[in-house]
Amino acid sequence: EIVMTQSPATLSVSPGGKATLSCRASQSVISNLAWYQQKPGQAPRLLIFGASTRATGIPARFSGSGSGTEFTLTISSLQSEDFTVYYCQHYNNWPPLYTFGQGTKLEIK
Amino acid sequence: QVQLVESGGGVVQPGRSLRLSCAASGFTFSSYSMHWVRQAPGKGLEWVAIISFDGSYKYYADSVKGRFTISRDNSRNTLYLQMNSLRVEDTAVYYCARDLAVVIAIPAYWGQGTLVTVSS
């Protein structure tokens, strides 16, 4: 079973700044990695898939990188609506299995 | 646009059953795999199950295998989750989600969720 570990649990950054969120897999997941944003009381929103491809309508200030076991979500020029919780997710093509990280809360410094 | 509306949540005693539904619209339902994902109160996301576009394959998280059954009715554009032998730890908001694309099996479009509370 692949375990996804996100760090830090909470990240404090100033508006206008840059946030770097990390996600580590317990074994290689190649590039089968997605990032989601979830605001309080709302469903998750897909940001990134394939480790680095932005989903439709996602602003360019969101970028993903990495492969194998180490992944990063970078959010530049932070806006007020970006301060919320982010999850990484490994997806296995076959058999189809999905594992989420425990989440990183991005808060205003 | 893609719309997913879950229903069927509520309060149920441990050991009892509940069936969730997810009504889909705005896309060709019969072309996409569908998922259930849950989130316990104040906790993270947990993937629960997937069903292929035609129902020919289904996969489950170990935590629900043997107790939950995912199914679909493509004539009614509806996804289901039959939950049996419910446990307190099954308490969560349950989301249905559609794949990103026909050949990209990533939950991308989500409903707003329905809350299931398992309590005596």
Side-chain angles (χ1 to χ4, degrees):
Chain A
E1 177 190 347
I2 295 176
V3 177
M4 307 302 294
T5 303
Q6 293 185 239
S7 61
T10 303
L11 180 62
S12 300
V13 184
S14 300
K18 182 172 77 172
T20 302
L21 288 66
S22 296
C23 177
R24 174 177 291 179
S26 59
Q27 57 186 276
S28 176
V29 297
I30 317 175
S31 294
N32 292 347
L33 194 285
W35 290 95
Y36 294 84
Q37 176 193 68
Q38 188 179 31
K39 297 182 178 180
Q42 296 187 17
R45 174 193 184 193
L46 178 66
L47 299 174
I48 302 283
F49 64 96
S52 61
T53 303
R54 276 190 302 277
T56 302
I58 302 304
R61 65 178 185 274
F62 291 89
S63 63
S65 63
S67 65
T69 62
E70 301 286 342
F71 300 88
T72 300
L73 174 68
T74 302
I75 313 170
S76 58
S77 303
L78 282 164
Q79 301 184 8
S80 58
E81 62 265 29
D82 299 335
F83 291 94
T84 188
V85 179
Y86 295 84
Y87 294 93
C88 65
Q89 178 210 53
H90 160 56
Y91 50 95
N92 193 57
N93 291 328
W94 194 263
L97 293 172
Y98 303 79
T99 307
F100 289 93
Q102 80 279 20
T104 289
K105 181 180 180 180
L106 179 60
E107 65 176 25
I108 298 175
K109 185 174 183 179
Chain B
Q1 73 280 21
V2 175
Q3 189 167 12
L4 300 167
V5 179
E6 302 93 338
S7 62
V11 180
V12 61
Q13 293 180 326
R16 303 299 291 267
S17 299
L18 202 62
R19 188 177 83 156
L20 305 182
S21 299
C22 170
S25 60
F27 65 100
T28 304
F29 181 71
S30 59
S31 295
Y32 292 87
S33 294
M34 297 292 295
H35 306 255
W36 287 100
V37 179
R38 69 183 179 182
Q39 186 169 36
K43 303 297 184 182
L45 300 167
E46 181 187 16
W47 175 79
V48 173
I50 183 175
I51 185 168
S52 61
F53 69 99
D54 60 355
S56 62
Y57 73 75
K58 307 170 187 180
Y59 281 87
Y60 301 89
D62 287 344
S63 57
V64 306
K65 201 174 296 181
R67 300 187 299 123
F68 290 12
T69 301
I70 189 171
S71 63
R72 64 191 298 159
D73 185 338
N74 285 345
S75 68
R76 296 177 181 269
N77 290 345
T78 302
L79 175 73
Y80 301 101
L81 185 67
Q82 177 67 42
M83 304 185 294
N84 298 331
S85 303
L86 281 162
R87 305 168 180 168
V88 171
E89 55 265 34
D90 294 320
T91 295
V93 173
Y94 284 74
Y95 297 99
C96 66
R98 195 205 85 176
D99 272 350
L100 175 61
V102 173
V103 293
I104 304 178
I106 306 167
Y109 299 91
W110 300 60
Q112 283 307 300
T114 186
L115 176 62
V116 173
T117 302
V118 184
S119 173
S120 54

